[in-house]
Amino acid sequence: MRIQEYKVVLDEDGRNVLVKDCSKNYPANRLDNVEDIVKLMKDVFELHRRAEEYVYTICLNTKCRPIAFFEISHGTYNMALVSPREILIRALLCGATNIVLVHNHPSGDPSPSREDNSMTRRVQTAAGIIGIDFLDHIIIGEEVYYSYNMNKRLKDESEDSFVA
């Protein structure tokens, strides 16, 4: 598959537009389970080795094929600011029907914080309102990861479920 990383910039009228940032080849066709997503994020983005928190959104089509990858936030050692607005603008611009949120914990411990839980609820609620399925929020530590979906911490708002 081709990993397409985009950024969003403002055009001359102040509107959000997608701009391709970079692209890479990766030896997979779909991202339909947590292990594949974690492997990709480690292989391509080295998320498990980052010294600060990075938050990415993976935008997928209905067949769980990635449309776009977006770096949403780059924070400090123990936090990154994230707003559902920025995530969903990007998902809408690329035509995603599904999204997965992925971020790292530089401490190596992927246990979700209170802020992680709050952000997950807010993003899932906002995505549901506009008809985008929020499939998972994955936190990557050094050797292990945490999946909200696998731990049954997401509200079941759709008939489709993410293969975990």
Side-chain angles (χ1 to χ4, degrees):
M1 91 174 81
R2 192 92 174 133
I3 305 296
Q4 306 280 359
E5 193 171 355
Y6 291 89
K7 59 184 171 185
V8 175
V9 298
L10 297 175
D11 68 8
E12 60 276 353
D13 296 323
R15 292 181 296 228
N16 291 297
V17 293
L18 288 179
V19 176
K20 188 186 297 186
D21 197 20
C22 66
S23 60
K24 304 166 184 125
N25 287 326
Y26 189 75
N29 289 323
R30 295 174 53 138
L31 293 177
D32 56 1
N33 65 66
V34 175
E35 290 79 15
D36 289 347
I37 292 171
V38 170
K39 182 173 176 10
L40 180 140
M41 295 307 290
K42 286 181 169 186
D43 291 349
V44 176
F45 298 99
E46 295 190 327
L47 213 49
H48 62 301
R49 300 187 67 218
R50 301 280 180 102
E52 297 92 22
E53 281 198 15
Y54 282 79
V55 181
Y56 283 86
T57 297
I58 304 171
C59 296
L60 305 149
N61 66 16
T62 57
K63 303 275 189 200
C64 288
R65 289 194 172 90
I67 299 168
F69 290 76
F70 294 97
E71 181 184 311
I72 300 298
S73 180
H74 172 187
T76 65
Y77 178 76
N78 62 355
M79 68 175 238
L81 294 176
V82 177
S83 165
R85 178 185 182 275
E86 279 64 42
I87 293 167
L88 297 172
I89 283 172
R90 286 150 179 80
L92 289 168
L93 284 171
C94 72
T97 56
N98 301 301
I99 59 171
V100 174
L101 199 59
V102 183
H103 84 277
N104 67 315
H105 278 179
S107 68
D109 178 3
S111 302
S113 67
R114 185 175 45 233
E115 292 80 13
D116 293 334
N117 294 334
S118 174
M119 174 185 56
T120 301
R121 283 191 304 273
R122 289 183 10 248
V123 172
Q124 185 178 24
T125 299
I129 289 169
I130 62 172
I132 294 176
D133 287 331
F134 182 69
L135 300 179
D136 206 349
H137 178 185
I138 302 166
I139 304 170
I140 296 177
E142 187 174 348
E143 298 293 327
V144 292
Y145 61 87
Y146 182 90
S147 161
Y148 278 79
N149 188 355
M150 288 177 68
N151 285 282
K152 303 192 184 320
R153 302 260 325 260
L154 295 179
K155 297 181 285 185
D156 187 16
E157 294 180 345
S158 71
E159 294 174 20
D160 300 327
S161 71
F162 187 59
V163 178

